[in-house]
Amino acid sequence: MKLDVKEYADKSILCWLATSNIKGEPNVSPKEIFLAVNPNIIIIANIASPCSEKNIRENPSVCVSYVDIFEQRGCKLKGEARVIEPADSEWDNYIVSLRKIAGDSFPIRNIFEVTVSKASNILAPSYQINPQIQINKQIASAMNAYGVKPA
């Protein structure tokens, strides 16, 4: 199955950022304001994630994942993150892009920039059991399971 990092990012409502501190103690938290700048750079608004920020400053290795809950597929991105502050040269360009998504409703303290070194698909087990699965049938099955009706 083809991996399209930007496609999955654009249609996902949340992404999950996994970090760990210098001792290797893990942390994972949802992020709702994020953007795939390109297949190799993901930016994530730090709205209220002091643990993620602290961990990135101690240990830049991270994993970002996002999944379309109805298609039950997505991607997992591993790489290195850094914290972009308002004084950094990338800030102005990144904040404009994130504000298009968030508006002024969210206070963005700083931005996590993830440089992707490895990308892989996330697939529900049903894709492995039935490689010929049709996406529209997967979506219908998930909507039925979640009690959701198409708009």
Side-chain angles (χ1 to χ4, degrees):
M1 203 162 274
K2 183 178 176 277
L3 176 64
D4 188 332
V5 170
K6 187 155 176 37
E7 175 192 349
Y8 285 121
D10 289 348
K11 64 183 180 180
S12 295
I13 295 172
L14 291 176
C15 75
W16 297 89
L17 176 64
T19 62
S20 63
N21 64 18
I22 198 84
K23 296 177 191 175
E25 298 168 327
N27 179 67
V28 66
S29 60
K31 310 295 182 222
E32 59 185 305
I33 308 299
F34 59 95
L35 176 69
V37 175
N38 59 52
N40 302 312
I41 301 288
I42 307 299
I43 56 175
I44 302 168
N46 179 7
I47 297 165
S49 298
C51 187
S52 295
E53 180 180 342
K54 179 180 179 292
N55 286 353
I56 288 169
R57 291 186 189 279
E58 289 182 9
N59 176 4
S61 294
V62 300
C63 181
V64 177
S65 64
Y66 29 87
V67 174
D68 180 304
I69 61 167
F70 297 110
E71 289 184 12
Q72 297 185 345
R73 61 186 188 152
C75 62
K76 175 171 62 174
L77 311 169
K78 292 183 180 180
E80 301 246 324
R82 67 187 184 108
V83 179
I84 305 294
E85 300 288 356
D88 293 329
S89 61
E90 301 89 348
W91 177 265
D92 289 340
N93 188 40
Y94 285 169
I95 198 68
V96 167
S97 297
L98 292 172
R99 285 277 174 235
K100 286 180 183 173
I101 299 167
D104 293 325
S105 302
F106 295 93
I108 299 175
R109 299 172 37 152
N110 48 41
I111 299 166
F112 305 141
E113 178 193 62
V114 178
T115 301
V116 177
S117 58
K118 183 176 181 184
S120 57
N121 285 312
I122 295 173
L123 297 172
S126 54
Y127 286 96
Q128 294 166 356
I129 294 167
N130 180 6
Q132 306 306 317
I133 198 164
Q134 295 175 353
I135 299 296
N136 62 337
K137 289 185 179 178
Q138 187 73 359
I139 292 170
S141 174
M143 287 187 162
N144 185 52
Y146 298 133
V148 175
K149 297 196 185 310

